[in-house]
Amino acid sequence: MIKKYYNFLQFLLFFVFLTSVSTKIYSQCAGNDATLTVCDYPNPANNSINLFSLLGGATPGGTWSDDGESGGLDPATGILNVHVITSSGFYNYTYTIDGIAGCADNSSTVTLILGGYTGKPAQAIICSSYETYNLFTPFDGSYLSPLFNGKWHNDTTNTDINGSIIDVKKLSGLYYFTYTMEAVGTCPAPNPATISIKVVRAPESGKANDPLKVCSDALPNFTNYDLFNMVTGADADGAWRDVNLRPTGELTFVGDHIIDLEKIYNRFGEGDYYFNYSVPSTDRVCSSAETRIRIRIERKLDFTGAKVTVNTDICETAIATATYSVRIEKGPAVIPNGNYYIEFNVSGPNGGSEKVTANLTNGVFLFPIKSDYFKQVGDFTVTILNIYSVNSERACVNTPNLSDVLYVYPLPDLSGAKIAETTTCQNSSPAIVISDAINIADGIYDLRYNISGANNANAQNIRVTFTGGNAKFQIPSFLTSQSGNAVITITNITSLISQCSNTANIKGDIIINPLPNIANLKIQINDYCFGDPVTASISGLGSLTDVTLSYVLSGKNTSAVQTIGLSPTNGNATFIIPSGLLINTGSTTATITNLMNNNTTCNVNVTGVADPFSLNPIPAPPITNDQSFCKSDGATIANLVPHGAQYKWYNSAAMTTPLADTYILQSENYYVTVTTLNCTSDPIMISVTINDIPAPELNSNGANFCGLNNPTIADLSINTNVPSTVVWYDAANNGNLLSSTTRLIEQGRYYGFDFSDTTNCLSNESLEVTVSLTDCDEVPNDFFIPDGFSPNGDGVNDTFVIPNIEFLYPNFTLEIFNRYGNGMYKGFINKPGWDGTNYETNGVASGVAPNGVYFYILNFNKDNKKPKQGRLYLNR
């Protein structure tokens, strides 16, 4: 019910505001064409007009189309929103229905006549910074906007305005503008609408000039740079502001506009630096103006020490397939890795300039270069003109001053060249001469050649230098090891510089003469005395008949190489070494160094053929003096000075027979010579004296002593006729010298010799003395027989001994018994003490005697002294 009421109300309002509607019947199916006039544009009813209801009995189910594309029609429902339309005028909307039989016409059109509307005007205050302003802006927003197809007039300047957009950037003050629209159909022209606009002048921070781009090498010119150079048309009452993430510190006070770009670069390096110029507004309707300027500082790339290499030189045969690249190695200066543009130029008939992008990695650029530049033999210079980062704004011109030459080399050509015939000797290195090589450029080349004939070798290499088509080289001696005829053939030539190779086929003859045969060559020279002619004998010369021999002397006599011509017979020859070469005695070696066959001039160096010989000097007579010896020493020829195998001694001036070394010297004259290297000196005579003194004599009873007095050698010497000069030994021959403090021993045998201080000789004969220590006349008061001992091994009183009994009673005997009368021990001078062990009758110890009392019988056996009996105590 509500919906039906709403539809009725719509229909009623439609007719209330409808000025006039006319209807004409065209068909039964699509209804009738109709005209709709709307003069009151802002009426709310105009936002939803049902066009279908205007058709007068049209069949539903058709479709609507907005023929003028006014934008206000919903084609699905046929509802028209006039408020969406922005201009007054005439608009057609067509309803079409298809598929119904009997319809004479299947479409109908509703024509809209829309009158003008100038809106609800208002006032506006704007800033000139808007630059352009739409006059439709200052209308009351609570009403519909004016339709846009009217005309504007500037009442202040009395000028018509084309469109609705005005330029306010140069305006300042209050302006009035009137908007008018014409009548449409039966709709009259609406009332004009006048608006007022106050334009406030905006502050001017100026227009930023193009960014300043400065290269680091030009920075000394920008140490006092005025930032106002970077803006145009700016008000003077603004202020500059440093807006960099890391402030440069160059603007130090309000109003400062001078900066030092060199200082900025030194502190922060290359990059973009921004500064804003701000001008405040005098009216709140305008914002403060701000202009940003940009300064770009770029570091000049330093390519000092850099190197460019164009790879790779080729031979002309590789032109069709060769590829090329350029390698640039930076110098010691730091250049960051990254992408760069490289501009370069290539010389030559197909040359040109080019710019490529290349990446710098670890100090090296590497990029390809077109092969079209290098299509013929020649030298091509690639010059690097400029290098800069792809991010560079070209503030700097980086001219590296780098270039390299790429060579496309021709093939070396030996066509027409010749090799001259050469004659040489076996094992020599003959020179090979090439001429008429007119196609070979001057330079160094590697040749490959073969040898055939008497000697054979393939693929031999040699490096030669060609000048004016000529070259010379030597082949190694092993290629002439066999005598006879040979042929050299050059098969290939390669340029050292270009490494371009080409085949060749030029030949030359080589005649090889044999060398002298030295397999059996010998030199022999005997030893000679100085001054005698020295003859050298040469053998092993074979069939040679005319030779030149070279030799040198070394050792005591030296010489430069000596040559002598010889005419061998049956392979042998001799010559005398000039005496002027033999000026020193000693060992000299003659060494053959070369032998030349004079008939062929072929010679061979000789090694290992030498012979040493001696030039022996006549020795000077030996230096010696008269000599004396002790007879007791038994001196022989061997004791004479000098002595040795080279010396010969004689006892007569005739020197018939040399004396043997064992010849006993006598007091007489002797003659000595020295023989060195078979040369004997003149003799020298000396006199030899043999010295001797008598043996000592012993005084009467001089060999007897009492051992209680501890006699020594000194006591024995006193008992001779030469007590101050006698010396004693323990043997007649080769004995040991005894000191004067040596204690004499019973029955000791001593040998005394007299000594002469004058001749330092001992007597040849000696005095033999056997000493007795028993010549003791009185028994001392302290003589006693111990009454016990303690054989416990402590080193004290371990043996039962009667002190000094061997001196007082040398023939004593001692018997010891146990308490049972059993014999325990029998002693005498050579067995003077009992150690406390049992002895059988045969004298062999049979056990340890126990502690206790034992009994002894001592027989003195002197001066009829009676035996003595007593007891002793054994305590371990």
Side-chain angles (χ1 to χ4, degrees):
M1 184 68 183
I2 295 175
K3 182 176 182 182
K4 289 181 179 180
Y5 177 76
Y6 174 78
N7 289 336
F8 172 76
L9 180 62
Q10 271 192 323
F11 178 75
L12 178 63
L13 289 173
F14 172 77
F15 281 98
V16 170
F17 295 102
L18 182 63
T19 301
S20 64
V21 176
S22 62
T23 302
K24 183 179 181 180
I25 299 174
Y26 290 101
S27 63
Q28 294 293 324
C29 295
N32 299 314
D33 292 341
T35 299
L36 172 65
T37 300
V38 177
C39 295
D40 187 10
Y41 174 77
N43 193 315
N46 290 332
N47 67 358
S48 181
I49 300 173
N50 190 341
L51 297 183
F52 185 79
S53 64
L54 302 178
L55 297 180
T59 302
T63 60
W64 286 93
S65 63
D66 186 348
D67 298 342
E69 297 183 355
S70 66
L73 177 67
D74 184 347
T77 63
I79 301 300
L80 176 65
N81 184 355
V82 175
H83 293 164
V84 175
I85 301 172
T86 60
S87 298
S88 61
F90 297 85
Y91 299 93
N92 292 326
Y93 303 95
T94 300
Y95 177 71
T96 302
I97 186 168
D98 295 321
I100 299 178
C103 289
D105 190 354
N106 63 350
S107 66
S108 295
T109 299
V110 175
T111 299
L112 170 65
I113 300 172
L114 179 60
Y117 174 68
T118 56
K120 179 70 173 177
Q123 295 180 346
I125 301 177
I126 65 173
C127 184
S128 63
S129 63
Y130 286 6
E131 295 189 358
T132 61
Y133 188 73
N134 192 331
L135 294 175
F136 287 113
T137 303
F139 281 83
D140 191 340
S142 60
Y143 294 86
L144 291 175
S145 297
L147 294 174
F148 295 153
N149 56 333
K151 293 183 179 179
W152 284 97
H153 180 77
N154 187 335
D155 301 335
T156 304
T157 61
N158 194 25
T159 56
D160 291 333
I161 298 172
N162 184 20
S164 63
I165 304 300
I166 63 172
D167 184 358
V168 298
K169 59 180 175 291
K170 294 184 179 180
L171 300 181
S172 180
L174 182 63
Y175 295 86
Y176 293 93
F177 298 89
T178 299
Y179 183 60
T180 60
M181 296 191 74
E182 296 178 352
V184 179
T186 59
C187 295
N191 293 327
T194 300
I195 62 172
S196 66
I197 299 176
K198 180 182 179 182
V199 180
V200 178
R201 182 183 180 276
E204 290 289 343
S205 58
K207 178 184 178 181
N209 297 335
D210 291 338
L212 176 64
K213 301 171 184 177
V214 183
C215 186
S216 60
D217 63 348
L219 289 174
N221 301 322
F222 293 86
T223 56
N224 287 284
Y225 185 72
D226 191 341
L227 289 175
F228 280 115
N229 294 332
M230 295 295 295
V231 294
T232 302
D235 294 342
D237 56 346
W240 286 95
R241 189 161 54 91
D242 188 333
V243 294
N244 295 286
L245 291 178
R246 291 193 297 170
T248 64
E250 286 297 299
L251 298 178
T252 58
F253 58 88
V254 176
D256 191 3
H257 54 90
I258 303 298
I259 61 174
D260 186 342
L261 295 184
E262 186 174 39
K263 187 180 295 183
I264 293 174
Y265 175 77
N266 290 338
R267 291 182 62 192
F268 302 102
E270 65 177 342
D272 290 325
Y273 296 91
Y274 297 91
F275 298 89
N276 287 4
Y277 182 61
S278 299
V279 179
S281 174
T282 58
D283 192 306
R284 66 181 180 178
V285 73
C286 291
S287 300
S288 297
E290 189 168 69
T291 299
R292 172 169 292 188
I293 63 98
R294 179 169 68 94
I295 300 175
R296 184 173 182 85
I297 304 176
E298 293 188 352
R299 181 167 63 90
K300 186 174 183 65
L301 301 181
D302 184 0
F303 286 93
T304 303
K307 177 184 178 183
V308 62
T309 304
V310 183
N311 295 312
T312 298
D313 299 341
I314 64 167
C315 302
E316 61 179 304
T317 53
I319 289 176
T321 59
T323 59
Y324 308 91
S325 64
V326 178
R327 178 185 177 91
I328 301 175
E329 300 176 37
K330 76 175 189 65
V334 175
I335 299 177
N337 289 342
N339 292 323
Y340 291 79
Y341 289 120
I342 299 178
E343 297 175 356
F344 62 90
N345 173 266
V346 182
S347 67
N350 298 320
S353 298
E354 191 175 345
K355 181 174 80 172
V356 298
T357 301
N359 182 268
L360 177 67
T361 303
N362 296 326
V364 176
F365 292 107
L366 186 64
F367 59 90
I369 186 171
K370 294 184 296 188
S371 61
D372 293 341
Y373 294 125
F374 318 107
K375 290 300 185 182
Q376 60 276 318
V377 170
D379 303 343
F380 303 88
T381 300
V382 177
T383 303
I384 306 301
L385 304 175
N386 198 0
I387 300 177
Y388 53 93
S389 171
V390 295
N391 299 319
S392 170
E393 296 186 16
R394 307 294 298 277
C396 299
V397 177
N398 303 308
T399 304
N401 193 26
L402 299 174
S403 64
D404 189 30
V405 178
L406 184 137
Y407 298 93
V408 179
Y409 294 103
L411 295 182
D413 185 5
L414 278 177
S415 299
K418 299 176 183 177
I419 298 177
E421 179 183 282
T422 183
T423 299
T424 188
C425 294
Q426 185 181 3
N427 292 335
S428 65
S429 298
I432 304 299
V433 178
I434 303 174
S435 62
D436 299 334
I438 59 175
N439 297 321
I440 298 296
D442 291 354
I444 302 174
Y445 295 82
D446 289 329
L447 302 179
R448 182 173 298 166
Y449 62 89
N450 299 332
I451 300 291
S452 60
N455 298 277
N456 291 278
N458 292 321
Q460 302 299 302
N461 297 310
I462 189 69
R463 182 161 292 173
V464 301
T465 299
F466 276 91
T467 304
N470 300 314
K472 180 190 291 186
F473 66 91
Q474 288 182 305
I475 64 174
S477 59
F478 71 85
L479 295 179
T480 60
S481 60
Q482 303 297 321
S483 60
N485 295 328
V487 174
I488 182 172
T489 303
I490 296 177
T491 60
N492 186 275
I493 181 171
T494 301
S495 169
L496 179 63
I497 295 178
S498 69
Q499 290 300 299
C500 296
S501 295
N502 200 1
T503 58
N505 186 23
I506 60 172
K507 301 176 183 292
D509 293 328
I510 303 174
I511 300 172
I512 305 170
N513 291 318
L515 296 178
N517 186 350
I518 59 171
N520 299 315
L521 183 65
K522 292 182 180 179
I523 183 172
Q524 290 182 315
I525 304 174
N526 294 328
D527 294 342
Y528 291 88
C529 289
F530 181 72
D532 291 345
V534 177
T535 299
S537 298
I538 308 299
S539 61
L541 295 172
S543 60
L544 298 175
T545 58
D546 186 5
V547 300
T548 296
L549 182 76
S550 299
Y551 68 95
V552 294
L553 298 180
S554 60
K556 289 296 184 179
N557 295 284
T558 60
S559 73
V561 176
Q562 305 294 310
T563 59
I564 186 168
L566 300 175
S567 298
T569 301
N570 297 325
N572 300 315
T574 61
F575 67 93
I576 294 177
I577 298 176
S579 60
L581 301 177
L582 304 174
I583 59 175
N584 296 310
T585 60
S587 178
T588 300
T589 298
T591 302
I592 298 176
T593 60
N594 188 272
L595 181 66
M596 182 174 71
N597 183 344
N598 294 334
N599 294 322
T600 64
T601 69
C602 290
N603 67 88
V604 60
N605 290 327
V606 180
T607 58
V609 179
D611 190 39
F613 63 94
S614 293
L615 290 179
N616 300 325
I618 305 298
I623 297 175
T624 186
N625 296 303
D626 292 343
Q627 300 174 41
S628 61
F629 300 91
C630 298
K631 184 175 182 181
S632 60
D633 292 337
T636 66
I637 289 295
N639 295 112
L640 291 175
V641 177
H643 181 266
Q646 69 272 34
Y647 297 101
K648 302 296 182 182
W649 288 93
Y650 303 86
N651 58 0
S652 102
M655 297 186 299
T656 304
T657 302
L659 299 174
D661 282 350
T662 58
Y663 177 84
I664 301 298
L665 294 178
Q666 302 177 32
S667 294
E668 58 183 341
N669 293 332
Y670 292 89
Y671 303 84
V672 61
T673 63
V674 61
T675 299
T676 303
L677 301 176
N678 296 322
C679 293
T680 302
S681 69
D682 292 333
I684 285 293
M685 185 192 78
I686 65 169
S687 294
V688 172
T689 302
I690 304 300
N691 297 310
D692 193 17
I693 56 177
E697 296 179 3
L698 186 65
N699 295 336
S700 176
N701 202 30
N704 297 323
F705 299 90
C706 179
L708 297 177
N709 299 325
N710 297 319
T712 64
I713 287 295
D715 297 317
L716 182 59
S717 296
I718 292 173
N719 291 343
T720 67
N721 64 327
V722 285
S724 62
T725 57
V726 65
V727 292
W728 297 91
Y729 290 82
D730 58 4
N733 296 303
N734 301 318
N736 297 307
L737 178 65
L738 302 176
S739 69
S740 62
T741 59
T742 301
R743 296 277 294 272
L744 298 178
I745 62 174
E746 174 65 15
Q747 296 301 306
R749 188 170 293 179
Y750 302 92
Y751 300 88
F753 295 86
D754 193 9
F755 177 75
S756 170
D757 289 333
T758 303
T759 62
N760 287 327
C761 290
L762 294 175
S763 60
N764 186 51
E765 301 296 331
S766 63
L767 169 64
E768 181 179 340
V769 178
T770 299
V771 172
S772 172
L773 300 181
T774 61
D775 190 17
C776 298
D777 295 332
E778 295 180 1
V779 177
N781 294 330
D782 57 357
F783 176 76
F784 73 100
I785 299 173
D787 60 359
F789 71 111
S790 57
N792 55 11
D794 63 356
V796 178
N797 204 23
D798 285 337
T799 305
F800 179 73
V801 176
I802 300 173
N804 297 321
I805 194 171
E806 67 274 18
F807 301 127
L808 297 173
Y809 303 102
N811 296 318
F812 79 94
T813 62
L814 176 65
E815 292 182 273
I816 296 176
F817 304 90
N818 61 16
R819 61 184 176 174
Y820 303 110
N822 297 323
M824 301 296 294
Y825 170 78
K826 289 183 178 181
F828 53 97
I829 192 170
N830 292 327
K831 187 182 177 184
W834 180 43
D835 59 4
T837 55
N838 296 339
Y839 286 85
E840 299 176 354
T841 56
N842 59 4
V844 179
S846 60
V848 177
N851 290 346
V853 177
Y854 293 84
F855 303 93
Y856 64 84
I857 298 175
L858 173 60
N859 297 302
F860 293 100
N861 297 326
K862 181 179 180 183
D863 299 330
N864 296 318
K865 188 176 179 66
K866 292 181 180 182
K868 181 174 180 168
Q869 296 182 2
R871 64 181 181 178
L872 61 93
Y873 184 73
L874 187 154
N875 182 18
R876 297 185 185 277

